[in-house]
Amino acid sequence: MHISIPDSIKIKCSGYTHHQKTNCGVSIQSKLIIQDMAIIQAQALSSLVYRKEKTISLGQRLFVFDIDCGRNGNLCISASNNSSDIFTHTNKSDSVIFKSSFGSYIALQEQDNDHFNVLYGTYHSIKRQSATFTTNRYSTSPKPGDRKRWVLDGPSTLWGGDENVLHRGCGPTFRFTAHGITATKSGGILLCLWNNEFGERSLGKVISIDGKLQIFMDKNQPLYICPTYIAENGNGDICVSDVKAVVVTDAGGMLRFRYQGNSKESNFDPYGICCDSKYNIIVADMKNDKLLVVDKDGEFLHQVTYDGIKMPRAVCIDENDRVFVGEWDSDAIKVIAR
């Protein structure tokens, strides 16, 4: 790849160019400028436009906060527009299992095609509701022609409320707020927490709901500042969107890498996160109107756009590597593919 470099920064440490004498400090700065130019041009060459396969109507414009889907594309949605009946006019779809108006984080725990657990945040807790695709909640002998629908059982509290002994030191009593949530392949549940502090006092944790795992330190330094979205990769790694970085640990909580964008000038600030069948990590770069894809070791692969992309905030992926995108202030979920 040929990179055109302006004469004004063609500077050498030892002497003169055509126009300018310099020193080592300027030369180092010039090299950094050249490196950043190379990165920017490489990113432009590594931009892919995905096709839009379909849209799932939300019925009105909403601020989509989080989404998750099962292997076959069954979907749950969390959104807000400061109204208590935001989903009143949403088109009914057999693929949409659950809709939350709390404007908080949400996840699906798949048991089989007709049975899911929906995990979602409220103001001070994480709830779980089971969902069954059936004709009637109470009927044992459905009639021919009866239309199936998703039926929800009552909610139970997984985190929050009274301090659970399994979450000692990690509950609302200790000023923690629940953020992103995900279900693991082994049937577990991982949860991001934030301590509601700012600046140097801000820190976060990733815990398992069963109390067996807490991830928050690496070499006596905090791992997270304010962890938000979370996904388990197919290789067992735990991928978390944090302040201006994607933080990836192994299943036991040992730091593997931080991905902080590809340029020191970048305003990269990750939001939704998911992982494809090749263990690549897909991140919503909402502020820059694109998705970023990095491999399982943190190497940048390409950026993704699609027709009409604007402020993509939440992402999830099905077994066919179709990516579902929830945009901030949109009237539909976009389903895209390479």
Short mmCIF file of all heavy atoms in Angstrom, two decimals, residues 266-294:
data_model
loop_
_atom_site.label_atom_id
_atom_site.label_comp_id
_atom_site.label_asym_id
_atom_site.label_seq_id
_atom_site.Cartn_x
_atom_site.Cartn_y
_atom_site.Cartn_z
N SER A 266 -8.23 8.16 18.07
CA SER A 266 -9.57 7.59 17.95
C SER A 266 -10.43 7.96 19.14
O SER A 266 -9.97 8.02 20.27
CB SER A 266 -9.47 6.07 17.83
OG SER A 266 -10.74 5.47 17.93
N ASN A 267 -11.73 8.19 18.88
CA ASN A 267 -12.67 8.38 19.98
C ASN A 267 -13.45 7.10 20.22
O ASN A 267 -14.63 7.11 20.58
CB ASN A 267 -13.62 9.55 19.69
CG ASN A 267 -14.49 9.31 18.46
OD1 ASN A 267 -14.19 8.45 17.63
ND2 ASN A 267 -15.58 10.06 18.35
N PHE A 268 -12.80 5.97 20.01
CA PHE A 268 -13.41 4.65 20.19
C PHE A 268 -13.95 4.51 21.61
O PHE A 268 -13.26 4.74 22.59
CB PHE A 268 -12.35 3.58 19.92
CG PHE A 268 -12.81 2.17 20.21
CD1 PHE A 268 -13.85 1.61 19.49
CD2 PHE A 268 -12.19 1.41 21.19
CE1 PHE A 268 -14.26 0.31 19.74
CE2 PHE A 268 -12.59 0.11 21.44
CZ PHE A 268 -13.63 -0.44 20.72
N ASP A 269 -15.22 4.14 21.69
CA ASP A 269 -15.87 3.91 22.98
C ASP A 269 -16.90 2.80 22.76
O ASP A 269 -17.99 3.06 22.26
CB ASP A 269 -16.54 5.20 23.47
CG ASP A 269 -16.80 5.18 24.97
OD1 ASP A 269 -16.34 4.24 25.64
OD2 ASP A 269 -17.47 6.10 25.47
N PRO A 270 -16.57 1.55 23.10
CA PRO A 270 -17.40 0.42 22.70
C PRO A 270 -18.72 0.33 23.46
O PRO A 270 -18.79 0.68 24.63
CB PRO A 270 -16.50 -0.78 23.00
CG PRO A 270 -15.63 -0.32 24.12
CD PRO A 270 -15.37 1.13 23.85
N TYR A 271 -19.71 -0.20 22.77
CA TYR A 271 -21.02 -0.47 23.38
C TYR A 271 -21.31 -1.97 23.23
O TYR A 271 -20.59 -2.79 23.75
CB TYR A 271 -22.08 0.43 22.74
CG TYR A 271 -22.01 1.86 23.23
CD1 TYR A 271 -21.11 2.77 22.68
CD2 TYR A 271 -22.83 2.30 24.26
CE1 TYR A 271 -21.04 4.08 23.13
CE2 TYR A 271 -22.77 3.61 24.72
CZ TYR A 271 -21.88 4.49 24.16
OH TYR A 271 -21.79 5.78 24.62
N GLY A 272 -22.38 -2.32 22.52
CA GLY A 272 -22.75 -3.73 22.42
C GLY A 272 -21.65 -4.60 21.86
O GLY A 272 -20.82 -4.16 21.05
N ILE A 273 -21.67 -5.89 22.27
CA ILE A 273 -20.58 -6.79 21.88
C ILE A 273 -21.14 -8.20 21.70
O ILE A 273 -22.04 -8.62 22.43
CB ILE A 273 -19.46 -6.75 22.94
CG1 ILE A 273 -18.19 -7.47 22.48
CG2 ILE A 273 -19.93 -7.30 24.28
CD1 ILE A 273 -16.98 -7.18 23.37
N CYS A 274 -20.62 -8.90 20.69
CA CYS A 274 -20.98 -10.30 20.47
C CYS A 274 -19.83 -10.98 19.74
O CYS A 274 -18.86 -10.32 19.33
CB CYS A 274 -22.29 -10.43 19.68
SG CYS A 274 -22.25 -9.75 18.00
N CYS A 275 -19.91 -12.29 19.57
CA CYS A 275 -18.81 -13.06 18.98
C CYS A 275 -19.37 -14.02 17.93
O CYS A 275 -20.42 -14.65 18.15
CB CYS A 275 -18.07 -13.86 20.05
SG CYS A 275 -17.44 -12.84 21.41
N ASP A 276 -18.68 -14.14 16.78
CA ASP A 276 -19.18 -15.00 15.72
C ASP A 276 -18.63 -16.42 15.84
O ASP A 276 -17.93 -16.76 16.80
CB ASP A 276 -18.90 -14.38 14.35
CG ASP A 276 -17.41 -14.34 13.99
OD1 ASP A 276 -16.60 -15.05 14.62
OD2 ASP A 276 -17.05 -13.57 13.06
N SER A 277 -18.95 -17.25 14.85
CA SER A 277 -18.59 -18.67 14.91
C SER A 277 -17.09 -18.90 14.77
O SER A 277 -16.59 -19.99 15.08
CB SER A 277 -19.33 -19.44 13.82
OG SER A 277 -18.99 -18.95 12.53
N LYS A 278 -16.34 -17.88 14.29
CA LYS A 278 -14.89 -18.00 14.17
C LYS A 278 -14.17 -17.36 15.35
O LYS A 278 -12.96 -17.15 15.31
CB LYS A 278 -14.43 -17.34 12.86
CG LYS A 278 -14.97 -18.02 11.62
CD LYS A 278 -14.49 -17.33 10.35
CE LYS A 278 -15.02 -18.01 9.11
NZ LYS A 278 -14.60 -17.33 7.85
N TYR A 279 -14.91 -17.06 16.40
CA TYR A 279 -14.39 -16.45 17.64
C TYR A 279 -13.97 -15.00 17.45
O TYR A 279 -13.29 -14.44 18.30
CB TYR A 279 -13.22 -17.25 18.22
CG TYR A 279 -13.48 -18.73 18.44
CD1 TYR A 279 -12.43 -19.63 18.48
CD2 TYR A 279 -14.78 -19.21 18.59
CE1 TYR A 279 -12.66 -21.00 18.68
CE2 TYR A 279 -15.01 -20.57 18.78
CZ TYR A 279 -13.96 -21.46 18.82
OH TYR A 279 -14.19 -22.81 19.02
N ASN A 280 -14.35 -14.39 16.32
CA ASN A 280 -14.11 -12.96 16.15
C ASN A 280 -15.05 -12.16 17.05
O ASN A 280 -16.18 -12.59 17.32
CB ASN A 280 -14.30 -12.54 14.70
CG ASN A 280 -13.33 -13.23 13.77
OD1 ASN A 280 -12.16 -13.41 14.10
ND2 ASN A 280 -13.81 -13.62 12.59
N ILE A 281 -14.59 -11.01 17.49
CA ILE A 281 -15.35 -10.16 18.40
C ILE A 281 -15.91 -8.97 17.62
O ILE A 281 -15.15 -8.26 16.95
CB ILE A 281 -14.46 -9.68 19.56
CG1 ILE A 281 -13.86 -10.89 20.29
CG2 ILE A 281 -15.24 -8.80 20.53
CD1 ILE A 281 -12.70 -10.52 21.21
N ILE A 282 -17.22 -8.78 17.69
CA ILE A 282 -17.90 -7.70 16.97
C ILE A 282 -18.37 -6.68 17.99
O ILE A 282 -19.07 -7.01 18.94
CB ILE A 282 -19.09 -8.25 16.18
CG1 ILE A 282 -18.62 -9.35 15.21
CG2 ILE A 282 -19.81 -7.13 15.43
CD1 ILE A 282 -19.74 -10.14 14.59
N VAL A 283 -17.98 -5.42 17.77
CA VAL A 283 -18.24 -4.36 18.75
C VAL A 283 -18.98 -3.21 18.08
O VAL A 283 -18.62 -2.79 16.98
CB VAL A 283 -16.91 -3.82 19.34
CG1 VAL A 283 -17.20 -2.83 20.46
CG2 VAL A 283 -16.03 -4.96 19.84
N ALA A 284 -20.00 -2.71 18.75
CA ALA A 284 -20.72 -1.54 18.26
C ALA A 284 -19.95 -0.28 18.62
O ALA A 284 -19.74 0.03 19.79
CB ALA A 284 -22.11 -1.49 18.87
N ASP A 285 -19.49 0.44 17.59
CA ASP A 285 -18.78 1.71 17.77
C ASP A 285 -19.79 2.82 17.49
O ASP A 285 -19.77 3.44 16.42
CB ASP A 285 -17.59 1.76 16.83
CG ASP A 285 -16.67 2.95 17.08
OD1 ASP A 285 -16.95 3.72 18.02
OD2 ASP A 285 -15.69 3.11 16.34
N MET A 286 -20.69 3.06 18.43
CA MET A 286 -21.85 3.91 18.21
C MET A 286 -21.47 5.33 17.80
O MET A 286 -22.08 5.93 16.92
CB MET A 286 -22.72 3.94 19.47
CG MET A 286 -24.01 4.72 19.31
SD MET A 286 -25.12 4.62 20.73
CE MET A 286 -24.34 5.77 21.85
N LYS A 287 -20.46 5.89 18.45
CA LYS A 287 -20.11 7.28 18.19
C LYS A 287 -19.56 7.51 16.79
O LYS A 287 -19.58 8.62 16.28
CB LYS A 287 -19.11 7.77 19.23
CG LYS A 287 -19.68 7.83 20.64
CD LYS A 287 -18.64 8.28 21.64
CE LYS A 287 -19.21 8.33 23.05
NZ LYS A 287 -18.20 8.73 24.05
N ASN A 288 -19.06 6.44 16.17
CA ASN A 288 -18.48 6.55 14.83
C ASN A 288 -19.33 5.89 13.75
O ASN A 288 -18.88 5.71 12.62
CB ASN A 288 -17.07 5.95 14.83
CG ASN A 288 -16.11 6.73 15.71
OD1 ASN A 288 -15.95 7.94 15.53
ND2 ASN A 288 -15.50 6.07 16.67
N ASP A 289 -20.56 5.48 14.11
CA ASP A 289 -21.51 4.92 13.14
C ASP A 289 -20.95 3.71 12.39
O ASP A 289 -21.02 3.62 11.16
CB ASP A 289 -21.95 5.98 12.13
CG ASP A 289 -22.80 7.08 12.76
OD1 ASP A 289 -23.48 6.81 13.77
OD2 ASP A 289 -22.77 8.22 12.25
N LYS A 290 -20.41 2.75 13.14
CA LYS A 290 -19.90 1.54 12.50
C LYS A 290 -19.76 0.43 13.54
O LYS A 290 -19.88 0.66 14.74
CB LYS A 290 -18.54 1.81 11.83
CG LYS A 290 -17.46 2.27 12.80
CD LYS A 290 -16.21 2.73 12.05
CE LYS A 290 -15.15 3.28 13.01
NZ LYS A 290 -13.98 3.82 12.28
N LEU A 291 -19.53 -0.77 13.04
CA LEU A 291 -19.15 -1.90 13.88
C LEU A 291 -17.68 -2.20 13.61
O LEU A 291 -17.20 -2.01 12.49
CB LEU A 291 -19.99 -3.13 13.56
CG LEU A 291 -21.51 -2.98 13.52
CD1 LEU A 291 -22.17 -4.31 13.16
CD2 LEU A 291 -22.05 -2.44 14.83
N LEU A 292 -16.98 -2.67 14.63
CA LEU A 292 -15.59 -3.09 14.47
C LEU A 292 -15.49 -4.59 14.72
O LEU A 292 -16.16 -5.12 15.62
CB LEU A 292 -14.68 -2.34 15.43
CG LEU A 292 -14.56 -0.83 15.26
CD1 LEU A 292 -13.56 -0.27 16.28
CD2 LEU A 292 -14.13 -0.46 13.85
N VAL A 293 -14.63 -5.25 13.96
CA VAL A 293 -14.40 -6.68 14.13
C VAL A 293 -12.92 -6.91 14.41
O VAL A 293 -12.06 -6.48 13.64
CB VAL A 293 -14.83 -7.48 12.88
CG1 VAL A 293 -14.65 -8.98 13.11
CG2 VAL A 293 -16.29 -7.18 12.51
N VAL A 294 -12.64 -7.56 15.53
CA VAL A 294 -11.26 -7.94 15.88
C VAL A 294 -11.24 -9.45 16.09
O VAL A 294 -12.26 -10.06 16.41
CB VAL A 294 -10.75 -7.20 17.14
CG1 VAL A 294 -10.75 -5.70 16.91
CG2 VAL A 294 -11.59 -7.54 18.37
#
